Amino acid sequence: GALNHFTNSPTPFHNCANLVTMLGESFEKLSEDEKWEGKIKPNGKYYYTRNTSTLVAFCVGGAYDASNPGGFKVIGGHTDSPNLRIKPCSKNGTSAGKITQLNVECYGGGLWHTWFDRDLGIAGRVIVSTPDGKFTQHLVNLKKPVCRVPSLCIHLQSGDERASFKVNKENHLQPIFAQVVKDTLEAPASKKAKTDEAAGEKNAWREGHDSTLLKLIAEELSIEVAQIADFELALYDTQPAALGGANEEFLYAARLDNQATCYTSIQSLAQYAANKEMLEKDADIAMVCLFDHEEVGSASQCGAGSPIMGEAVRRVSSALNNGGGNEDFFQTTCRRSFVFSVDMAHAIHPNYASKHEKNHSPDLNAGVVIKTNSNQRYTTNAFTGFVIREIGRRKNVPIQEFVVRNDCPCGSTIGPIISEKTGIRCVDAGMPQLSMHSCREMMGTHDLQLCIDLFNGFFELFRNIDESCYLCS
């Protein structure tokens, strides 16, 4: 269930792999570097990934008609979360106390003080060379707590330092990885260097990494250290996701922003695709797009700022039209489409209630939150917000509202980026949570099911609601 997904998805790569498993065998894998003409058909279910960290999954309604094209009902979210990522040269040498540390880089806007005194594992993807000269990608997860960022004890801090704790991201967040004596540190490295040189395999990239780290990765993957060609690794909190509260009404986990959306959206799509009667009469395409790199601005090959969303609409609709379809066909499809952009939302904090505007203070376990900002940090407008509220009304799913206070900054998400790139109508929403961007976050248990119910209603009811609205364009 959800707890297992959050626990076993420490990186966007693991997240996507686990989401694909959730889709089930009925979803056919597509490859972006192959033609899709002739492969995509009504009643079909498909998915593809980019960079193995962004996932696009969809099912085609049985009533889809290329001569009168339907639209795309899209749920959008993101797969990444703030964390500490290992630098291209992880070797940090031996520090005071004969301590070995790793070089890490802060990814995204984390609450970095929450990473202190946590039991940290290492996970990510590894590029592995094979005996036949090829290269393959493997996911790795060192589940044991191999790293830790310890706090400085109170006795070694001045009164001023205690009163104004500030994290220097370069100096204070380098994790402790090991403690070794000098001869055990140097001997294996020296021996390995000679072995590599003798084999003509001296590798500057591997020399930039801690030899113990490489050894642990190799052991986990059952390969030789010399087969490790590259990697993208991140630290993560090894404490499993858990239910909490006196009545288990809360869920505590890392990366709820935005893995909660990833989990609920794929659950909903899989349920909708499995409903043969409903899918058969659908004239649209139900789709989930989960992008990487939202936490750093989405401007990447696999982020929401890339062509992925527009390409998905164009390529899928063209394949359903036997490879045809001009610009007019594409734009018509876009105008009939809608993106339900779902990132997490800020629940009211009982210790900081003044941070919320009193009429827009979402509660945990009270339903999905529609996020509005007149300065277009969110895309919600009168029509797009109405669509979600109407779906909630028809499905008896509660809807909450959030607007940031005028004296507080406002975050943003993928909605404005997708709207700008494609012109597709969009609404921004999210499940309420506390401790956003902390190493460990909190949300209401009931909100997961309420979100799935709302997503199911979106796939089922959007076309009927859209066609019942007569608005000037």
Side-chain angles (χ1 to χ4, degrees):
L3 295 181
N4 286 334
H5 180 79
F6 301 146
T7 298
N8 296 319
S9 301
T11 72
F13 309 113
H14 292 81
N15 191 13
C16 279
N18 292 330
L19 293 170
V20 167
T21 300
M22 283 172 54
L23 286 171
E25 296 181 357
S26 63
F27 278 76
E28 178 184 346
K29 184 177 182 179
L30 299 173
S31 177
E32 284 195 282
D33 58 6
E34 297 177 357
K35 291 183 177 181
W36 293 353
E37 182 182 352
K39 295 182 178 179
I40 300 178
K41 297 177 171 41
N43 287 313
K45 310 164 191 177
Y46 311 91
Y47 78 92
Y48 60 95
T49 65
R50 181 176 294 186
N51 191 48
T52 62
S53 62
T54 288
L55 171 65
V56 179
F58 61 97
C59 55
V60 183
Y64 181 88
D65 181 3
S67 64
N68 183 29
F72 284 69
K73 302 174 290 192
V74 183
I75 298 171
H78 65 91
T79 61
D80 61 322
S81 303
N83 58 15
L84 299 174
R85 302 200 173 187
I86 293 178
K87 292 181 179 179
C89 293
S90 66
K91 188 184 294 183
N92 201 351
T94 304
S95 306
K98 298 179 181 178
I99 294 293
T100 299
Q101 295 176 281
L102 298 178
N103 282 322
V104 296
E105 179 181 14
C106 295
Y107 174 86
L111 290 175
W112 301 119
H113 66 277
T114 65
W115 284 76
F116 284 76
D117 303 320
R118 304 298 300 180
D119 297 340
L120 304 175
I122 298 176
R125 65 172 173 178
V126 182
I127 307 301
V128 176
S129 62
T130 61
D132 58 358
K134 296 181 180 180
F135 298 89
T136 59
Q137 174 178 299
H138 297 259
L139 298 185
V140 67
N141 187 358
L142 305 180
K143 296 181 180 180
K144 61 183 181 179
V146 294
C147 289
R148 192 175 178 91
V149 182
S151 298
L152 179 64
C153 69
I154 191 171
H155 312 86
L156 299 181
Q157 299 181 58
S158 68
D160 290 340
E161 288 174 328
R162 292 195 297 270
S164 58
F165 174 63
K166 294 182 179 179
V167 178
N168 183 303
K169 293 188 289 186
E170 182 62 29
N171 297 334
H172 298 157
L173 287 172
Q174 307 306 314
I176 288 177
F177 177 59
Q179 183 180 40
V180 289
V181 295
K182 186 176 181 182
D183 56 348
T184 58
L185 174 67
E186 294 181 347
S190 175
K191 180 179 179 181
K192 181 187 180 315
K194 292 179 181 178
T195 302
D196 284 351
E197 288 175 13
E201 296 177 353
K202 190 170 183 178
N203 185 292
W205 179 84
R206 282 196 294 272
E207 288 182 348
H209 289 290
D210 186 274
S211 59
T212 303
L213 174 62
L214 296 176
K215 179 184 175 185
L216 288 175
I217 294 170
E219 289 176 349
E220 183 68 23
L221 297 178
S222 300
I223 60 173
E224 299 296 325
V225 168
Q227 290 181 262
I228 302 175
D230 208 333
F231 57 57
E232 287 181 61
L233 300 176
L235 275 58
Y236 73 96
D237 182 11
T238 58
Q239 183 177 356
L243 297 180
N247 302 300
E248 297 190 335
E249 61 266 62
F250 304 126
L251 194 158
Y252 307 143
R255 303 173 299 278
L256 291 175
D257 175 21
N258 189 35
Q259 287 187 8
T261 295
C262 297
Y263 176 82
T264 52
S265 62
I266 292 299
Q267 282 277 12
S268 176
L269 182 67
Q271 292 175 16
Y272 187 74
N275 189 325
K276 294 182 180 179
E277 180 180 354
M278 192 170 293
L279 186 63
E280 180 66 39
K281 63 183 182 181
D282 194 349
D284 295 318
I285 295 96
M287 177 176 281
V288 171
C289 291
L290 303 171
F291 305 91
D292 199 357
H293 299 144
E294 188 274 345
E295 298 293 358
V296 292
S298 297
S300 72
Q301 173 244 7
C302 52
S306 74
I308 291 178
M309 185 72 259
E311 288 176 353
V313 173
R314 189 183 297 274
R315 292 194 67 180
V316 172
S317 58
S318 176
L320 287 166
N321 195 33
N322 298 317
N326 54 23
E327 185 64 18
D328 189 47
F329 176 85
F330 171 68
Q331 293 299 336
T332 299
T333 301
C334 284
R335 298 295 78 75
R336 293 177 59 81
S337 300
F338 190 100
V339 175
F340 193 176
S341 165
V342 184
D343 207 342
M344 298 301 278
H346 301 293
I348 188 167
H349 195 306
N351 296 340
Y352 304 91
S354 62
K355 289 294 183 180
H356 274 71
E357 198 270 314
K358 64 180 181 180
N359 294 318
H360 301 86
S361 302
D363 294 321
L364 298 175
N365 287 312
V368 170
V369 180
I370 293 178
K371 301 187 282 189
T372 304
N373 182 263
S374 297
N375 296 297
Q376 299 304 299
R377 299 291 287 172
Y378 302 129
T379 57
T380 307
N381 60 33
F383 173 74
T384 61
F386 158 76
V387 168
I388 302 306
R389 295 185 194 96
E390 180 64 10
I391 292 171
R393 184 188 69 80
R394 296 189 188 186
K395 285 296 182 179
N396 197 30
V397 178
I399 300 294
Q400 304 188 82
E401 305 287 341
F402 175 76
V403 177
V404 74
R405 285 172 56 100
N406 288 320
D407 56 1
C408 286
C410 183
S412 191
T413 183
I414 61 172
I417 296 170
I418 292 174
S419 288
E420 178 187 13
K421 298 290 183 181
T422 65
I424 296 175
R425 295 168 295 176
C426 186
V427 65
D428 277 302
M431 287 170 278
Q433 74 161 101
L434 295 172
S435 304
M436 187 179 290
H437 288 196
S438 172
C439 189
R440 188 100 175 149
E441 300 175 331
M442 172 181 177
M443 68 176 294
T445 308
H446 188 45
D447 284 323
L448 288 173
Q449 187 58 54
L450 290 175
C451 190
I452 291 173
D453 293 343
L454 188 64
F455 286 164
N456 290 344
F458 173 65
F459 288 142
E460 176 188 351
L461 300 173
F462 168 73
R463 178 56 54 209
N464 175 266
I465 294 173
D466 191 35
E467 291 182 344
S468 69
C469 296
Y470 298 89
L471 305 176
C472 296
S473 60

